[in-house]
Amino acid sequence: MSIRTGIVGISGFGGGEALRLIAAHPAFELVYAAGDSTAGSRIADRFPGAPHGLADLVIEKWDPEALPELDLLFASLPTGASAEALARVPGSVRIVDIGGDHRHVDGWAYGLADVWPERTAGQRRVANPGCFPAAALTALAPLLTEGLIAPGTIVIDAKTGVSGAGRGGGDGFGYATTNENLQPYGLLKHVHMPEMETTIGLLSGGSAAGLVFTPHLVPMTRGLLVTMYCRGQATTAQCRDAARAFYADRPFVRLSDAPPQTKWAAGSNLCFVHYAADPARDLVMALGVVDNLGKGAAGQAVQNANIICDLPETTGLAGMPVWP
């Protein structure tokens, strides 16, 4: 089976990661690539290691009304840049939006693939979660659904590599600024806050109004770790049992005995989760680790595309992480 596939936003890190995964996918045939800043160049000009079959594909200027015949489109555009344009893509084309414009928007399935795969199956419009929510919500979901933590008491302390800002991250994300530095940002107003509040509410049936989320930029290229502090009387064993049951048949979530490290997920679609609890202190800690460009972006996008195209979720995603 050949599924005619396109990528818009191929110039950025998310689009480039999607290209890497699609190039090795046995069912997705890349026939269209768009990127305004690189329009007119070949794939190989931007990605010298591209396979021969894709090297000469010319990157086009993005025009949703001038698409070739496509079955599937991955959109990796900055938040605010995709809503109007994707509305003009024919309904016959399945879309996975890696950007932020369609998360919890009517008409779009929220593609938290390891938690709600049934909500994605059969859909033609899927909104990929953000990178921080991919790690945080996957670790929290078993605790929230089992009522082991109070949804309005969660504090999320997050660390991410600089590729999370995208290729156009700006002066604040250059080597000289990020090297030997630890930088908090987006305090109290990060773009992922509404997405996480909404999903926590849906998972728990309660309110996440007290959610606190503080992201930090760390001097590494890729990787994302969240450490979360919650109120609850659960034991460590109860948290682990809940996660083990919740993710029993989910191929990409790994319950870790030890606190996970970002290297464990590098270059993969895996999510590692870990729990530690102290009922005497009314404290539950939940940790999640993903590759911000993998599970946090293009990896989960391909997983969602597999689901909506009725393919096994692991198709094209079964490789091991890069180590060291």
Side-chain angles (χ1 to χ4, degrees):
M1 178 173 61
S2 179
I3 297 171
R4 291 174 59 85
T5 302
I7 303 173
V8 56
I10 200 166
S11 309
F13 290 142
E17 188 76 358
L19 169 65
R20 183 180 72 84
L21 295 173
I22 292 167
H25 198 286
F28 297 160
E29 177 191 4
L30 188 69
V31 298
Y32 172 78
D36 286 350
S37 65
T38 52
S41 60
R42 302 177 309 138
I43 291 287
D45 296 331
R46 191 67 170 176
F47 304 97
H52 290 302
L54 296 177
D56 291 329
L57 182 65
V58 175
I59 300 173
E60 301 183 27
K61 190 169 182 64
W62 167 229
D63 182 352
E65 295 177 344
L67 295 175
E69 182 181 345
L70 292 177
D71 302 307
L72 174 67
L73 179 67
F74 292 92
S76 184
L77 298 169
T79 298
S82 64
E84 186 276 332
L86 293 183
R88 293 186 280 134
V89 173
S92 60
V93 180
R94 299 178 179 93
I95 301 175
V96 179
D97 186 5
I98 303 173
D101 286 9
H102 294 107
R103 294 164 186 160
H104 292 301
V105 169
D106 287 345
W108 290 74
Y110 183 63
L112 192 59
D114 297 305
V115 176
W116 287 324
E118 72 283 355
R119 298 192 180 193
T120 304
Q123 300 298 315
R124 307 195 74 82
R125 298 289 187 268
V126 176
N128 225 48
C131 54
F132 289 115
L137 297 172
T138 304
L140 290 172
L143 309 183
L144 292 166
T145 57
E146 291 299 316
L148 299 180
I149 58 174
T153 67
I154 300 167
V155 176
I156 304 176
D157 183 287
K159 311 292 192 296
T160 184
V162 294
S163 63
R167 193 184 293 272
D171 293 340
F173 296 89
Y175 176 80
T177 304
T178 57
N179 186 48
E180 300 291 345
N181 196 16
L182 180 60
Q183 177 183 341
Y185 66 99
L187 305 184
L188 302 178
K189 58 180 181 180
H190 193 278
V191 67
H192 289 160
M193 277 283 288
E195 174 186 352
M196 289 193 286
E197 286 177 334
T198 297
T199 309
I200 288 169
L202 291 171
L203 286 165
S204 66
S207 170
L211 178 68
V212 177
F213 169 54
T214 305
H216 302 77
L217 194 68
V218 296
M220 60 185 183
T221 299
R222 55 162 90 203
L224 189 155
L225 182 150
V226 293
T227 302
M228 295 170 285
Y229 307 91
C230 318
R231 293 299 178 191
Q233 290 291 307
T235 64
T236 299
Q238 287 174 317
C239 295
R240 290 177 57 83
D241 288 346
R244 188 178 293 109
F246 194 91
Y247 292 119
D249 61 348
R250 310 305 299 137
F252 294 112
V253 181
R254 305 292 171 84
L255 176 62
S256 171
D257 291 334
Q261 305 170 27
T262 56
K263 274 283 189 182
W264 293 3
S268 80
N269 190 48
L270 297 176
C271 179
F272 290 87
V273 298
H274 175 79
Y275 303 95
D278 185 349
R281 297 166 61 191
D282 195 29
L283 174 64
V284 174
M285 295 177 64
L287 286 80
V289 159
V290 301
D291 183 320
N292 57 289
L293 295 178
K295 175 66 76 178
Q300 187 155 210
V302 170
Q303 183 181 0
N304 278 316
N306 285 337
I307 293 172
I308 64 177
C309 291
D310 201 26
L311 298 170
E313 284 180 59
T314 56
T315 307
L317 294 170
M320 286 182 61
V322 176
W323 184 268

